[in-house]
Amino acid sequence: MNLLVTGGAGFIGSNFLQFIYEKHPDWTVVNVDRLTYAGNLENIAHLSNWDNYSFIKADVCDKQVLDKIFEQYQFDAVIHFAAESHVDRSILEADEFIRTNIYGTYVLLELSRKHQVKRFLNVSTDEVYGSLGPTGYFTELTPLAPNSPYSASKASADMLARAAFHTYKQDIVITRCSNNYGPYQFPEKLIPLMIHNALHDKPLPVYGDGRNVRDWIHVKDHCEALLTVLLHGEAGEVYNIGGNNEQENITIVKKILAILNKSEALIQFVKDRPGHDKRYAIDATKIRIKLKWEPKIPFEQGLFETVEWYVKNQTWVNKVITGEYLQYYEKQYSQRIKI
Ligand code: NAD
Ligand code: TYD
């Protein structure tokens, strides 16, 4: 297999590369990443011994450069992770989300067609379905109803992928996964942010009443599902991926504090996220029945190991937290806390 991975220096992409290195070291893999604030070479430093692996710093929106890369490598498949991925950032400023997530996906689809790539996997999110009330689940037939600029940009990318399948008969598969957690997640997302703040005895900012629900999955389980869909998914199909693990945000925050033996007095309820989706819950019956995949890592174990990882890897955290991040953090939480 000759595979292009986009966004492989980010959280899920770097875990996916490690997973492929362990499972299929004979594959030829090219990782194209622009190295934004969320992409870090530290995440993939351990791949330096992998002979068949190359890293290329490039922007997925740069059609000319990407065309040359496609020409040179003649990929069998593309797995497309590269994206702006943080909802709160998309609310502050969405330009990069529109550019990378929509135009970048279009460029990759076009080049995959031109260079006759055999399979394109678009890594998407359950957030394209919008929000659930207290009951029910997202299935692959749930209508798309994105509520944030982030999820709207991801839904647009999914629609372009769908159009490529219908119009040009390209071999496209789409996955829509729930919230991931695990090592190398940038400390702006709920779990790593709460671990980091708790470790430094800083306030843990919980939006609204903390009762919003997400379905959490360990990133390794997601990677295994992605490989399964890449190899065995049916062209033109969408596969939901979930952890079968609904949790209220406040429950997770309290679990993290308990693991670290820190006081719940650190919890600070802050102004809610505008348009905050109440509940996500995945029905993953299709991938379970058709492709025989299901998540394996129990949440309590996965969360404990993740907290341990962040405790042991504070040097990594300090490296990825740049001036840009500190400015973002200040902007985000000074507005939220002053209510
Ligand atoms: P991330 O923000 O950690 O990483 C994104 C990566 O994409 C970074 O390495 C960044 O440098 C790269 N990138 C951004 N813009 C680029 C551009 N223009 N050109 C090339 N590279 C660029 O994101 P993540 O959490 O690893 O998510 C990866 C994918 O999975 C995204 O498409 C996201 O929408 C999707 N997803 C994420 C989750 C989750 O819980 N994190 C859940 C479901 C789906
Ligand atoms: P996040 O990790 O940003 O993922 P997403 O918005 O894509 O689901 O947030 C997960 C949940 O945690 C979401 O309901 C928002 C909430 N949250 C907080 O309460 N405080 C925070 O500081 C952050 C970043 C998120």
Side-chain angles (χ1 to χ4, degrees):
M1 169 79 87
N2 189 5
L3 179 68
L4 170 63
V5 174
T6 71
F11 164 48
I12 306 175
S14 62
N15 277 281
F16 183 77
L17 285 169
Q18 176 63 32
F19 185 73
I20 295 298
Y21 180 41
E22 286 161 20
K23 291 251 163 194
H24 297 286
D26 54 315
W27 286 11
T28 301
V29 177
V30 176
N31 172 14
V32 165
D33 194 299
R34 185 184 167 210
L35 298 181
T36 67
Y37 78 94
N40 206 295
L41 289 177
E42 291 285 318
N43 301 3
I44 42 177
H46 46 280
L47 300 177
S48 55
N49 294 331
W50 190 5
D51 291 338
N52 311 330
Y53 164 79
S54 330
F55 173 76
I56 301 174
K57 184 177 188 301
D59 185 332
V60 292
C61 299
D62 191 336
K63 207 173 187 178
Q64 280 188 333
V65 166
L66 274 255
D67 194 13
K68 288 192 185 121
I69 298 171
F70 273 75
E71 180 70 44
Q72 184 183 342
Y73 287 93
Q74 298 294 310
F75 300 114
D76 299 313
V78 172
I79 178 160
H80 177 36
F81 292 96
E84 287 294 331
S85 67
H86 190 38
V87 173
D88 291 320
R89 283 186 188 252
S90 80
I91 295 169
L92 284 177
E93 166 86 75
D95 295 31
E96 273 304 307
F97 289 73
I98 306 306
R99 200 186 73 88
T100 288
N101 300 3
I102 305 177
Y103 184 68
T105 305
Y106 160 76
V107 166
L108 289 162
L109 287 165
E110 279 291 284
L111 293 175
S112 296
R113 177 160 65 98
K114 178 176 171 191
H115 295 277
Q116 297 173 345
V117 171
K118 297 186 195 84
R119 166 142 289 192
F120 188 105
L121 195 169
N122 193 47
V123 180
S124 188
T125 164
D126 60 353
E127 302 193 25
V128 298
Y129 296 123
S131 184
L132 290 165
T135 58
Y137 294 90
F138 298 134
T139 74
E140 290 80 358
L141 299 176
T142 303
L144 301 197
N147 289 321
S148 71
Y150 163 67
S151 53
S153 69
K154 292 295 292 183
S156 308
D158 282 8
M159 293 297 93
L160 287 168
R162 176 191 152 90
F165 170 75
H166 281 274
T167 305
Y168 302 116
K169 310 295 175 224
Q170 285 177 251
D171 182 320
I172 307 285
V173 277
I174 296 173
T175 55
R176 297 191 180 132
C177 188
S178 59
N179 288 62
N180 285 221
Y181 70 97
Y184 298 106
Q185 187 167 32
F186 196 84
E188 64 185 353
K189 305 277 168 60
L190 180 77
I191 290 182
L193 174 68
M194 297 298 158
I195 299 171
H196 178 67
N197 283 13
L199 278 170
H200 292 85
D201 295 309
K202 280 171 57 179
L204 273 51
V206 173
Y207 300 166
D209 62 4
R211 312 249 354 233
N212 297 62
V213 172
R214 299 291 182 263
D215 169 2
W216 293 91
I217 181 171
H218 195 281
V219 64
K220 268 192 204 153
D221 278 330
H222 185 193
C223 290
E224 193 174 64
L226 289 169
L227 179 60
T228 306
V229 174
L230 184 69
L231 294 177
H232 307 295
E234 197 180 320
E237 292 294 309
V238 174
Y239 295 90
N240 282 353
I241 302 168
N244 201 15
N245 171 42
E246 288 181 54
Q247 305 272 344
E248 286 187 346
N249 295 336
I250 189 68
T251 310
I252 294 196
V253 171
K254 287 182 178 170
K255 281 182 179 166
I256 291 170
L257 288 169
I259 296 170
L260 289 171
N261 200 19
K262 295 278 183 177
S263 164
E264 289 187 9
L266 286 174
I267 296 173
Q268 184 166 28
F269 289 95
V270 300
K271 193 170 157 191
D272 209 352
R273 171 186 283 173
H276 195 174
D277 286 339
K278 183 71 185 165
R279 175 172 165 260
Y280 302 147
I282 283 274
D283 178 341
T285 308
K286 180 172 170 181
I287 188 168
R288 181 165 54 79
I289 302 285
K290 298 227 161 152
L291 303 183
K292 312 279 179 246
W293 170 89
E294 53 189 356
K296 294 191 187 106
I297 302 175
F299 185 63
E300 302 297 326
Q301 178 199 325
L303 185 66
F304 184 83
E305 287 172 4
T306 301
V307 173
E308 256 190 338
W309 188 89
Y310 279 89
V311 171
K312 285 192 191 136
N313 288 276
Q314 290 186 60
T315 327
W316 176 85
V317 175
N318 293 330
K319 273 195 184 145
V320 302
I321 294 182
T322 57
E324 187 277 343
Y325 171 70
L326 295 173
Q327 270 175 14
Y328 157 78
Y329 187 84
E330 171 62 23
K331 201 168 175 185
Q332 186 64 255
Y333 293 101
S334 61
Q335 284 171 11
R336 286 190 190 283
I337 289 167
K338 282 181 204 146
I339 44 162

